[in-house]
Amino acid sequence: MDFFFEPNGIAVVGATPEPQSGGLNLLVNLTRGYKGPIFPVNPKYNHILGLKCYPRVSEINGPLDLCIIFVPAKAVPRVLEDCVLKGVRGVMIESGGFAEVGPDGKALQEQCLAIARRGGIRIWGPNCMGLIDTAKPYIFSFVIPKDMEEAIRPGPISLIVQSGLLSGGFIITLMGNKTLGLSKICSIGNKSDVAENELLEFLTDDPATKVICLYLESFMNGRRFFELASSSKKPIVVLKGGKTPSGAKASFSHTASLAGDYELIKGILRQARVVQADDFFEMMDIARTLEKNFYLRRVRAGKPRIAILTYSGASGIVTADHMDPYGLILADLSPQTRKRLQELSPDWMPVKNPVDYWPAIEKNGPSLAYKHALETLHEDPEVDGIIVHIYAGHGIWLLNPKEILSGVKGSRKPILFWLIGPEKNREATRLPLEEEGWPTFHEIHRTVRVMGSLFEKPG
Amino acid sequence: MDFFFEPNGIAVVGATPEPQSGGLNLLVNLTRGYKGPIFPVNPKYNHILGLKCYPRVSEINGPLDLCIIFVPAKAVPRVLEDCVLKGVRGVMIESGGFAEVGPDGKALQEQCLAIARRGGIRIWGPNCMGLIDTAKPYIFSFVIPKDMEEAIRPGPISLIVQSGLLSGGFIITLMGNKTLGLSKICSIGNKSDVAENELLEFLTDDPATKVICLYLESFMNGRRFFELASSSKKPIVVLKGGKTPSGAKASFSHTASLAGDYELIKGILRQARVVQADDFFEMMDIARTLEKNFYLRRVRAGKPRIAILTYSGASGIVTADHMDPYGLILADLSPQTRKRLQELSPDWMPVKNPVDYWPAIEKNGPSLAYKHALETLHEDPEVDGIIVHIYAGHGIWLLNPKEILSGVKGSRKPILFWLIGPEKNREATRLPLEEEGWPTFHEIHRTVRVMGSLFEKPG
């Protein structure tokens, strides 16, 4: 895989100076981070972006590991023949029009694969968005350069995506949120050759990757995937496309995948201790929380016991209502904890779980009340995880996250925050919380679901 | 109810000049919109905010319909006796410490109710955040004035909330999103006297209210609620707190509510054609979409037929995967629609549903491709609703919503947008879409869920 991730020489077949085009985006993105030789290929031009342009791959002078191909599908076999001549090691076919469009496209894809196999070339794609390695940054993709430039944010989560466009727009949205950092993004489209298992193995050994997320419409080799996932020391989160009859039908059109029986797949994934998500942002919310390496009491017989700290009784109730499906239960707070929490709460307000701490907040100010409650709940051996509700508003309601969490010592149990408030103030609380490693969420159901996911795969 | 919604004279018992206090917030909020006489009540002061302050309610000179009470629970009965002397018509008890804290509090609450009944006074609360009418604006609540001032946004949705704090922080977050406008927000807390049915009746007749949302932990009189909801011409959305055993236990602590058997309640609500939500933002996303009065083909035998227009095959599949639970199916596009869509799509890309229009977008630019597809799908008699995926990025990807929707004529079928992209660009697309009456969402599952809710209650 090294010639994909760290190639010596890259050609862009279908490069063009045309504004707003994918062929230009590819070149611009390459020049932004890749330090090796870059070769535009297009018979119409002598130079693009000041780089010498070649009429065909076989005429390139210089080392050339990787060809990124972005020409109409019908033209691809000829390009591949040329790549064989040159002795290229890998190609990324980012154009569409292959197996996903019907029998003709499927035949074309098989023709490409045959040429590549004969010439000892590996194929990434087709119908994909290529590879991004944010740390370098290597952007082997036609994503919009300005969007990517503004958003890029290195981090510990890597993605394998059996799709094209999604990975572009989606990762830009994700990273732009200033919360989640990504490492490698592998968009493998129709995965005619390079597929999820090989990449999973690669990422399992990649020191920059701590959590691996996969969007898959099918499994190339389910048995091998199971082996890899079962033995992985890194958490794996899977979003399976084509779970329902409607989705499965759509999935066949997309990447020509046979979606398989989801009930069966679900059971196997669970056995392999893979966390399963149902939506894109959900997958990433789970991944960024798994990455925090919270201390998880190994839950054997019992269910994870959750404390809820809130300023709003109703929010506490709705949070509790969401726990059942994820196997979470309300913690039975220890007598010691009750006593300590009561210290700041007026006598008339008995301490229960959910801890409705509004009267204590009103009496002592939110800063002191939250600090005291977080420290106390975190120390309680009867509590495995804490969901905290914060309203970030003006004045005293603009909390200092460092301060309210200063009493949380030792191994960090999961403390997840549901955060609302006017946007500016909310951001002023959210970002420091995230920087200190405490995940925040905008919706209650998501907060609870992510808490549940932590305990699905005991650490 | 008029003396609550349009009182002649308001006293604030527990008013104080202390910064950051609820007693000060109440006064500040009142002075921002209420034009009638305002009477602070507190024996410690002669004036607050330049208003003459009275030692007790009975000494007030002037008309006095409404007393807002914000003193410790134990002091409330004496205040009420005084209100009887003065001939006050309604009180809002915004302090906590009543039935929600245990038997002593419950006795106190009953004592208050007895005094009020004897004196012909109606009670709103206790343990609540009062009333907000954004159009005037009347803010009979201790919400933080600066937060409220920045967020306030009049609109057609009214809320009845059996809770206190939530309504404050939550509505500020909601309105701050610049998408959703609220009319009346009624936080009724323990609802010892004024409860949901009376308010539901009031709001059903309120010309400023088009959709009514309720957060309830219990039903005071389920039969009456059923009658009101069944005969309401306005859509009603309910989020029930205390659905599960954990939630129900928490709910009892919160407002002393007996949550009831949720399976039973669910069936009754469905029969009354009430849309049911599971989370707070979900409830509001449903409400703001119901408010749009989309044209809904009356679905008798069949299920609502949805077209998905996307730039990303994977997103189309995941969208399709979420449809089953809400009884939605993929539309079988008419031959005419397929033909028209194919006009902009390359030959090799067959038109299916989900409509993966990426090749057409690439070929014709997103603006033309979206316009053509939206017009075509909207006109298809085989399509009841459309879910559209948009990536709002730089350059040509910053779409002009007016333009792409200019071909949508006649009765508007529901077109809901799933919108991602870098925040600034996303906002630049989101706000005009919302202004033109087209709802946008940030997550796929929510987009589909809201689409489903439209057809739950045929218009």
Side-chain angles (χ1 to χ4, degrees):
Chain A
M1 293 281 100
D2 281 347
F3 48 88
F4 284 119
F5 285 91
E6 193 62 83
N8 185 15
I10 304 178
V12 177
V13 183
T16 146
E18 231 172 279
Q20 317 266 23
S21 71
L24 179 62
N25 290 349
L26 269 164
L27 268 193
V28 171
N29 284 331
L30 274 181
T31 57
R32 292 257 166 103
Y34 180 67
K35 303 292 176 221
I38 302 170
F39 310 104
V41 177
N42 190 331
K44 286 198 234 163
Y45 303 97
N46 293 319
H47 287 87
I48 304 175
L49 288 184
L51 296 163
K52 182 171 161 47
C53 188
Y54 294 81
R56 64 189 61 82
V57 171
S58 53
E59 292 191 20
I60 291 170
N61 277 322
L64 183 57
D65 275 352
L66 178 65
C67 256
I68 302 174
I69 302 177
F70 198 62
V71 294
K74 275 185 284 192
V76 173
R78 233 179 25 215
V79 174
L80 281 175
E81 299 282 11
D82 214 40
C83 287
V84 173
L85 278 181
K86 171 67 186 164
V88 162
R89 302 176 68 193
V91 296
M92 277 181 191
I93 308 176
E94 303 196 2
S95 349
F98 293 89
E100 80 278 11
V101 301
D104 290 355
K106 189 154 191 281
L108 197 60
Q109 184 171 311
E110 274 159 16
Q111 189 190 345
C112 290
L113 193 58
I115 299 169
R117 291 251 154 95
R118 220 167 45 225
I121 295 176
R122 298 298 307 275
I123 295 181
W124 181 300
N127 185 28
C128 75
M129 215 153 181
L131 170 66
I132 295 169
D133 180 343
T134 61
K136 301 207 167 13
Y138 286 174
I139 306 170
F140 303 165
S141 176
F142 58 89
V143 291
I144 303 168
K146 193 167 158 54
D147 287 1
M148 184 52 74
E149 188 191 348
E150 283 178 9
I152 206 158
R153 184 183 169 89
I157 300 169
S158 286
L159 269 167
I160 301 170
V161 191
Q162 181 179 352
S163 158
L165 268 260
L166 175 73
S167 39
F170 180 60
I171 60 171
I172 283 166
T173 311
L174 274 175
M175 294 189 296
N177 201 24
K178 296 193 191 86
T179 301
L180 182 140
L182 297 172
S183 180
K184 321 280 185 297
I185 300 127
C186 311
S187 160
I188 52 175
N190 293 4
K191 53 183 191 183
S192 68
D193 178 16
V194 172
E196 64 274 11
N197 287 345
E198 222 169 333
L199 290 172
L200 183 56
E201 215 175 338
F202 180 88
L203 293 173
T204 306
D205 290 335
D206 173 33
T209 298
K210 285 196 195 165
V211 179
I212 304 163
C213 291
L214 299 100
Y215 169 76
L216 292 175
E217 291 168 15
S218 63
F219 293 85
M220 286 305 259
N221 179 340
R223 184 178 298 275
R224 179 74 186 131
F225 184 87
F226 180 83
E227 287 166 9
L228 288 168
S230 307
S231 61
S232 166
K233 290 198 180 70
K234 299 175 183 177
I236 296 171
V237 191
V238 166
L239 170 53
K240 171 72 174 60
K243 292 173 180 177
T244 63
S246 299
K249 209 178 127 197
S251 150
F252 186 73
S253 305
H254 182 220
T255 51
S257 297
L258 288 168
D261 175 351
Y262 185 59
E263 281 310 307
L264 186 72
I265 292 169
K266 207 161 83 176
I268 293 171
L269 289 177
R270 192 178 297 129
Q271 239 189 302
R273 300 192 311 162
V274 166
V275 180
Q276 293 173 68
D278 290 316
D279 208 345
F280 296 113
F281 289 110
E282 183 192 46
M283 172 165 72
M284 303 318 291
D285 281 338
I286 291 171
R288 68 188 173 90
T289 306
L290 284 168
E291 181 265 311
K292 301 291 188 293
N293 276 318
F294 286 118
Y295 168 74
L296 305 173
R297 184 184 62 101
R298 205 171 255 282
V299 181
R300 283 183 204 282
K303 294 179 170 180
R305 302 159 305 175
I306 307 302
I308 300 170
L309 174 62
T310 186
Y311 57 89
S312 146
S315 309
I317 291 161
V318 171
T319 306
D321 270 336
H322 280 277
M323 299 206 323
D324 275 20
Y326 306 113
L328 305 172
I329 55 168
L330 281 173
D332 204 356
L333 304 179
S334 73
Q336 166 72 357
T337 295
R338 283 170 196 265
K339 204 176 141 227
R340 281 175 67 190
L341 289 176
Q342 193 72 64
E343 285 164 15
L344 295 197
S345 213
D347 287 344
W348 52 262
M349 187 67 181
V351 171
K352 289 168 189 167
N353 183 23
V355 182
D356 184 349
Y357 225 38
W358 167 241
I361 291 167
E362 221 188 354
K363 203 174 140 191
N364 308 279
S367 194
L368 176 61
Y370 273 105
K371 180 180 180 304
H372 180 73
L374 279 168
E375 182 178 342
T376 306
L377 291 170
H378 190 260
E379 282 174 13
D380 189 336
E382 304 295 320
V383 170
D384 300 318
I386 310 170
I387 291 176
V388 184
H389 299 167
I390 285 188
Y391 169 74
H394 285 98
I396 51 170
W397 287 99
L398 201 54
L399 290 168
N400 178 342
K402 267 202 177 163
E403 198 182 318
I404 64 167
L405 282 149
S406 59
V408 173
K409 299 267 161 59
S411 306
R412 287 178 167 201
K413 292 179 189 172
I415 306 181
L416 309 187
F417 289 83
W418 178 55
L419 188 60
I420 60 172
E423 194 186 343
K424 230 175 62 189
N425 307 54
R426 194 170 71 224
E427 285 298 282
T429 301
R430 185 179 75 88
L431 293 175
L433 272 172
E434 294 283 351
E435 270 157 33
E436 296 289 313
W438 303 106
T440 64
F441 305 89
H442 189 58
E443 301 225 32
I444 288 178
H445 68 275
R446 178 63 47 81
T447 319
V448 180
R449 196 271 166 271
V450 171
M451 180 65 87
S453 75
L454 292 176
F455 293 93
E456 273 178 46
K457 178 165 179 160
Chain B
M1 292 280 102
D2 282 348
F3 48 87
F4 284 119
F5 285 92
E6 194 62 83
N8 184 16
I10 304 178
V12 177
V13 184
T16 144
E18 232 172 278
Q20 317 267 23
S21 71
L24 179 61
N25 290 348
L26 269 165
L27 266 193
V28 170
N29 285 330
L30 273 183
T31 57
R32 293 253 167 106
Y34 180 67
K35 303 293 177 221
I38 303 170
F39 309 104
V41 177
N42 190 331
K44 284 198 235 163
Y45 304 96
N46 293 319
H47 287 87
I48 304 175
L49 289 183
L51 295 164
K52 182 171 162 46
C53 188
Y54 294 80
R56 65 188 62 80
V57 172
S58 52
E59 291 191 22
I60 291 171
N61 277 323
L64 183 58
D65 274 352
L66 178 63
C67 255
I68 303 175
I69 303 177
F70 198 61
V71 295
K74 275 184 286 190
V76 172
R78 232 180 24 215
V79 174
L80 281 174
E81 299 281 12
D82 213 38
C83 287
V84 174
L85 277 180
K86 170 69 186 163
V88 162
R89 302 177 69 193
V91 296
M92 279 181 188
I93 307 175
E94 302 197 2
S95 349
F98 292 91
E100 80 279 10
V101 301
D104 290 355
K106 191 154 190 283
L108 197 58
Q109 184 170 311
E110 274 159 16
Q111 188 190 345
C112 290
L113 194 58
I115 298 169
R117 291 250 154 96
R118 220 169 43 226
I121 296 177
R122 298 299 306 274
I123 295 181
W124 182 299
N127 186 29
C128 76
M129 215 154 179
L131 169 66
I132 295 169
D133 180 343
T134 61
K136 301 212 165 25
Y138 287 173
I139 307 170
F140 303 164
S141 177
F142 57 90
V143 291
I144 304 168
K146 194 167 158 53
D147 288 1
M148 184 51 74
E149 188 191 347
E150 283 177 9
I152 205 158
R153 185 181 167 90
I157 301 169
S158 287
L159 269 167
I160 302 170
V161 191
Q162 183 178 351
S163 158
L165 269 259
L166 175 72
S167 39
F170 180 59
I171 59 170
I172 284 167
T173 311
L174 274 174
M175 295 190 294
N177 200 23
K178 297 194 192 84
T179 301
L180 182 140
L182 297 172
S183 179
K184 321 280 185 296
I185 301 127
C186 311
S187 161
I188 51 174
N190 292 5
K191 54 184 191 182
S192 67
D193 177 17
V194 171
E196 64 273 12
N197 288 345
E198 222 169 333
L199 290 171
L200 183 55
E201 217 176 334
F202 180 88
L203 293 173
T204 305
D205 289 335
D206 173 33
T209 298
K210 285 195 195 165
V211 179
I212 304 161
C213 292
L214 299 99
Y215 169 76
L216 292 176
E217 292 167 15
S218 64
F219 292 84
M220 285 304 260
N221 178 341
R223 183 178 297 274
R224 179 73 186 134
F225 185 87
F226 180 83
E227 287 167 8
L228 288 168
S230 307
S231 61
S232 167
K233 291 201 179 68
K234 299 175 183 177
I236 297 170
V237 191
V238 166
L239 169 53
K240 171 72 174 61
K243 293 173 179 176
T244 63
S246 299
K249 209 177 127 197
S251 150
F252 186 74
S253 304
H254 181 221
T255 49
S257 297
L258 287 168
D261 175 351
Y262 185 60
E263 280 312 306
L264 186 72
I265 291 169
K266 207 160 84 176
I268 293 171
L269 289 177
R270 192 179 297 129
Q271 240 189 300
R273 300 192 310 163
V274 166
V275 180
Q276 293 172 68
D278 290 317
D279 209 344
F280 296 113
F281 289 111
E282 184 192 45
M283 173 165 72
M284 304 318 291
D285 281 339
I286 292 171
R288 68 188 173 90
T289 306
L290 284 169
E291 182 265 310
K292 301 291 189 290
N293 276 318
F294 286 119
Y295 168 74
L296 305 174
R297 185 185 62 100
R298 203 171 256 282
V299 180
R300 283 182 204 282
K303 292 178 171 182
R305 302 158 304 175
I306 307 302
I308 301 171
L309 173 62
T310 185
Y311 57 89
S312 146
S315 308
I317 291 161
V318 171
T319 306
D321 271 336
H322 280 277
M323 299 204 325
D324 276 20
Y326 306 113
L328 304 172
I329 55 168
L330 282 173
D332 204 355
L333 304 179
S334 73
Q336 165 74 354
T337 295
R338 283 169 196 267
K339 206 176 139 228
R340 282 175 68 189
L341 289 177
Q342 193 71 64
E343 284 164 15
L344 295 197
S345 211
D347 288 344
W348 52 262
M349 188 66 182
V351 171
K352 289 169 190 165
N353 182 23
V355 183
D356 184 350
Y357 225 39
W358 168 241
I361 291 167
E362 222 186 355
K363 204 173 139 192
N364 307 278
S367 193
L368 177 61
Y370 273 106
K371 180 180 180 306
H372 180 73
L374 279 168
E375 182 178 341
T376 306
L377 291 170
H378 190 260
E379 281 174 12
D380 190 336
E382 304 295 320
V383 171
D384 300 318
I386 310 170
I387 290 176
V388 184
H389 298 166
I390 285 189
Y391 169 74
H394 284 99
I396 51 169
W397 288 99
L398 200 53
L399 291 168
N400 178 342
K402 266 202 178 163
E403 199 183 318
I404 65 168
L405 282 151
S406 59
V408 173
K409 299 266 160 61
S411 305
R412 288 179 167 200
K413 292 179 188 171
I415 306 181
L416 309 188
F417 289 82
W418 177 54
L419 188 61
I420 62 172
E423 195 187 342
K424 229 173 63 188
N425 308 52
R426 195 169 71 223
E427 285 298 283
T429 301
R430 186 179 74 86
L431 293 176
L433 273 172
E434 294 283 352
E435 270 158 33
E436 296 289 313
W438 302 107
T440 66
F441 305 89
H442 189 58
E443 301 225 31
I444 289 177
H445 68 274
R446 178 62 48 81
T447 319
V448 180
R449 196 271 166 271
V450 171
M451 181 64 88
S453 75
L454 292 177
F455 293 93
E456 274 179 46
K457 178 166 179 161

